[in-house]
């Protein structure tokens, strides 16, 4: 066993000396592998970062959460012209589902309405997203308060003029979140009492963030916009109890809403019951496709790098034919020659891969600076993948030159190299 370790060590040293003595050739060999590894790891890191950001932006919602609305999260067999005619869900339907569907842990009715301005004395913040929700939204979204409280069921049902602010909105209006509680702000030209401020969470993937939003009882917004306003986008969000059979729960929920709408058995449901798990699966499918496309494109760069290493290794074998003959005449085994050239190819590829990883690391730092709160992450797994791919490319690229070198006849090799 000790002999084999000595053989590997000597082969490794020979490979390093060969690389040192041919700096230009080594550099040219590194370029292709560096570009290939940089491309592959950059794609993997970008997709991982994108996926992490998307998952983080919806982390408040459990995968079992169900959203009932007129649109579907993913593809559907229903023709576009048909589902575009589906009616919006209503507040009455939300109440009916909440009261009559068993095994519901929490349900909320939400409206997405145009952004508004919010004003306090001489301070004003424009283009603020308005969250028009019922009180149970707090539990479904797992919101965290920094100061005060969220509005309760009574305030939600009666449409009390109360509001909960995001951290950044509170800071822009009052200086600090602590100074916001109990103050009156103006939204829609009406006075609202500030009862709570959420904890700071940071910006989301597309610039959306709870820090720059406000929440008020949905019935306040219903009074302002009405129930048939096309500017709103109503949704019923339902969180089933833990341990409930999700397929059965969705079937019961759908049946309740069909009953409420008076649909006949032979009529299709004119609404969609979307599950967050389906959305996350859809995201996984998209990121998976992005990974595959990126890897295919990057693979061409790596292929060029691999051919470059193989070509250089064949040239190296040709130039060192005389030395190989002398080594074999002095008793060097075929394995020694084989490992010598394999190590040279692998070391070349790994060094190129490490440079590629370093470049990705630098780019990730720069990208994070220019994308605000979006974090470009180079994970340890991607670093391992990059190094492993480099070693494999070196091994594959060097195997044929190494075999050809190890099989040289010592006499012929010395004669040819003279």
């Amino acid at each position: 066993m000790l002999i084999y370790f000595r053989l590997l060590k000597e082969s490794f040293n020979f490979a390093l000396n060969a690389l040192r003595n041919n700096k230009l050739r080594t550099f040219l060999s590194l370029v292709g592998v560096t570009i290939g590894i940089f491309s592959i790891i950059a794609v993997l890191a970008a997709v991982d970062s994108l996926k992490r950001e998307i998952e983080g932006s919806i982390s408040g919602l459990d995968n079992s959460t169900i959203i009932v609305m007129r649109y579907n999260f993913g593809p559907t067999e229903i023709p576009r012209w048909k589902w575009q005619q589906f009616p919006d869900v209503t507040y009455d339907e939300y109440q009916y589902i909440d009261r009559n569907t068993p095994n519901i842990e929490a349900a909320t009715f939400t409206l997405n309405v145009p952004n508004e301005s919010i004003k306090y004395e001489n301070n004003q913040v424009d283009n603020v997203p308005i969250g028009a929700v019922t009180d149970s939204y707090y539990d479904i979204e797992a919101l965290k308060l920094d100061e005060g409280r969220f509005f309760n069921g009574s305030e939600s049902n009666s449409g009390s003029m109360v509001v909960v602010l995001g951290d950044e909105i509170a800071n822009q209006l009052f200086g600090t979140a602590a100074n916001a509680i109990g103050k009156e702000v103006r939204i829609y030209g009406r006075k609202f009492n500030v009862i709570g401020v959420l904890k700071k969470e940071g910006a989301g993937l597309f610039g959306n963030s709870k820090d720059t939003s406000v929440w008020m009882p949905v019935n306040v917004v219903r009074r302002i916009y009405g129930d048939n306003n096309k500017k709103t986008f109503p949704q019923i969000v339902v969180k089933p109890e833990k341990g409930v059979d999700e397929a059965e729960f969705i079937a019961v929920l759908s049946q309740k809403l069909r009953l409420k709408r008076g649909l006949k058995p032979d009529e299709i449901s004119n609404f969609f019951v979307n599950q967050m798990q389906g959305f996350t699966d859809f995201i996984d499918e998209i990121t998976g496709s992005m990974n595959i496309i990126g890897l295919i494109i990057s693979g061409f760069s790596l292929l060029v790098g691999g051919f470059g290493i193989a070509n250089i290794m064949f040239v190296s074998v040709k130039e060192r034919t005389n030395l190989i003959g002398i080594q074999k005449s002095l008793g060097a085994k075929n394995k020694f020659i084989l490992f010598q050239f394999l190590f040279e190819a692998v070391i070349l590829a790994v060094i190129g891969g490490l440079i590629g990883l370093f470049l990705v690391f630098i780019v990730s730092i720069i990208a994070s600076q220019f994308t605000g709160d979006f974090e470009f992450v180079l994970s340890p797994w991607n670093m391992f993948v990059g190094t492993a791919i480099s070693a494999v490319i070196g091994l594959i690229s060097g195997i044929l030159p190494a075999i050809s070198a190890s099989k040289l006849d010592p006499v012929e090799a010395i004669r040819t190299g003279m």
Side-chain angles (χ1 to χ4, degrees):
M1 183 63 71
L2 184 61
I3 295 176
Y4 282 104
F5 279 118
R6 290 181 59 187
L7 175 64
L8 291 173
K9 181 181 178 182
E10 290 178 13
S11 300
F12 185 76
N13 290 333
F14 266 100
L16 285 178
N17 289 330
L19 294 176
R20 290 195 197 100
N21 295 332
N22 298 278
K23 294 182 176 62
L24 179 59
R25 180 188 301 165
T26 300
F27 170 76
L28 294 175
S29 301
L30 290 177
V31 171
V33 178
T34 298
I35 294 174
I37 294 299
F38 172 82
S39 303
I40 286 179
I41 303 308
V43 169
L44 292 176
V47 173
D48 284 351
S49 302
L50 178 65
K51 183 178 179 181
R52 183 177 301 186
E53 188 69 19
I54 293 173
E55 289 175 346
S57 66
I58 61 174
S59 60
L61 291 175
D62 190 275
N63 276 348
S64 63
T65 301
I66 294 165
I67 301 177
V68 184
M69 55 184 177
R70 59 180 294 192
Y71 298 108
N72 195 39
F73 279 168
T76 175
E77 296 179 356
I78 301 175
R80 181 185 181 88
W81 66 267
K82 198 164 192 174
W83 59 254
Q84 283 185 330
Q85 297 178 2
F86 286 177
D88 283 318
V89 293
T90 66
Y91 185 77
D92 288 340
E93 289 172 342
Y94 149 71
Q95 290 184 310
Y96 179 82
I97 287 174
D98 191 28
R99 294 168 182 168
N100 295 282
T101 306
N103 302 317
I104 287 183
E105 182 177 324
T108 185
F109 182 77
T110 70
L111 291 176
N112 290 324
V113 294
N115 295 352
E116 271 293 327
S117 297
I118 179 170
K119 186 176 182 180
Y120 174 72
E121 295 181 349
N122 295 325
N123 298 327
Q124 179 171 315
V125 183
D126 297 318
N127 201 34
V128 179
I130 304 295
V133 298
T134 58
D135 60 294
S136 50
Y137 177 85
Y138 178 81
D139 299 315
I140 291 178
E141 267 278 357
L143 300 178
K144 296 179 180 178
L145 287 164
D146 186 34
E147 296 285 341
R149 62 179 179 85
F150 205 74
F151 46 84
N152 55 39
S154 175
E155 292 167 328
S156 176
N157 293 332
S158 63
S160 298
M161 308 297 283
V162 293
V163 67
V164 176
L165 308 180
D167 177 80
E168 189 173 329
I169 299 298
N171 290 335
Q172 290 186 51
L173 291 176
F174 308 106
T176 64
N179 294 333
I181 306 303
K183 301 291 176 59
E184 283 191 342
V185 296
R186 279 191 170 272
I187 310 174
Y188 297 119
R190 298 165 171 82
K191 292 182 179 180
F192 287 81
N193 183 38
V194 179
I195 61 172
V197 178
L198 296 182
K199 285 186 177 179
K200 183 177 180 63
E201 75 162 11
L205 176 63
F206 305 106
N208 58 312
S209 170
K210 294 182 177 65
D211 297 340
T212 57
S213 303
V214 303
W215 287 263
M216 61 180 63
V218 71
N219 284 337
V220 174
V221 179
R222 287 180 63 217
R223 286 201 299 266
I224 296 171
Y225 280 92
D227 285 331
N228 298 312
N229 196 308
K230 295 302 180 182
K231 293 182 180 179
T232 63
F233 182 61
Q235 304 171 56
I236 300 172
V237 184
V238 180
K239 184 177 181 180
E241 294 177 348
K242 295 186 184 303
V244 172
D245 185 288
E246 294 178 2
E248 182 179 342
F249 180 84
I250 291 174
V252 172
L253 176 64
S254 299
Q255 187 58 38
K256 293 293 183 182
L257 187 51
R258 285 180 59 87
L259 182 64
K260 174 67 175 175
R261 291 191 170 185
L263 295 175
K264 298 177 181 178
D266 59 339
E267 292 180 310
I268 65 168
S269 297
N270 55 359
F271 56 87
F272 289 105
V273 179
N274 299 288
Q275 196 171 8
M276 285 305 299
Q277 181 62 53
F279 183 67
T280 54
D281 290 344
F282 182 61
I283 294 298
D284 288 341
E285 184 178 336
I286 292 176
T287 54
S289 299
M290 292 171 62
N291 263 332
I292 293 172
I293 295 171
L295 290 175
I296 291 173
I297 296 173
S298 304
F300 286 108
S301 300
L302 201 57
L303 188 63
V304 172
F307 278 121
I309 290 178
N311 187 48
I312 293 296
M313 293 308 300
F314 276 117
V315 173
S316 182
V317 171
K318 184 70 174 176
E319 287 183 348
R320 286 150 58 187
T321 300
N322 186 41
L323 178 59
I324 295 170
I326 294 173
Q327 288 176 332
K328 296 190 102 179
S329 66
L330 294 175
K333 302 286 186 181
N334 287 351
K335 289 181 180 179
F336 177 81
I337 304 299
L338 179 72
F339 284 134
Q340 178 181 327
F341 284 92
L342 276 182
F343 274 129
E344 187 173 335
V346 171
I347 291 170
L348 262 176
V350 170
I351 291 174
L354 292 176
I355 295 174
L357 285 173
F358 177 73
L359 292 177
V360 175
F361 176 72
I362 297 299
V363 170
S364 68
I365 295 176
I366 296 173
S368 296
Q369 295 296 321
F370 284 96
T371 53
D373 290 322
F374 178 77
E375 186 179 5
F376 192 94
V377 180
L378 178 60
S379 67
W381 171 251
N382 285 336
M383 296 174 67
F384 170 77
V385 168
T387 306
I389 291 176
S390 303
V392 171
I393 291 298
L395 188 63
I396 295 174
S397 302
I399 190 69
L400 288 179
I403 290 175
S404 66
S406 67
K407 289 184 176 181
L408 287 174
D409 180 82
V411 177
E412 289 296 326
I414 294 173
R415 183 183 301 158
T416 305
M418 293 179 65

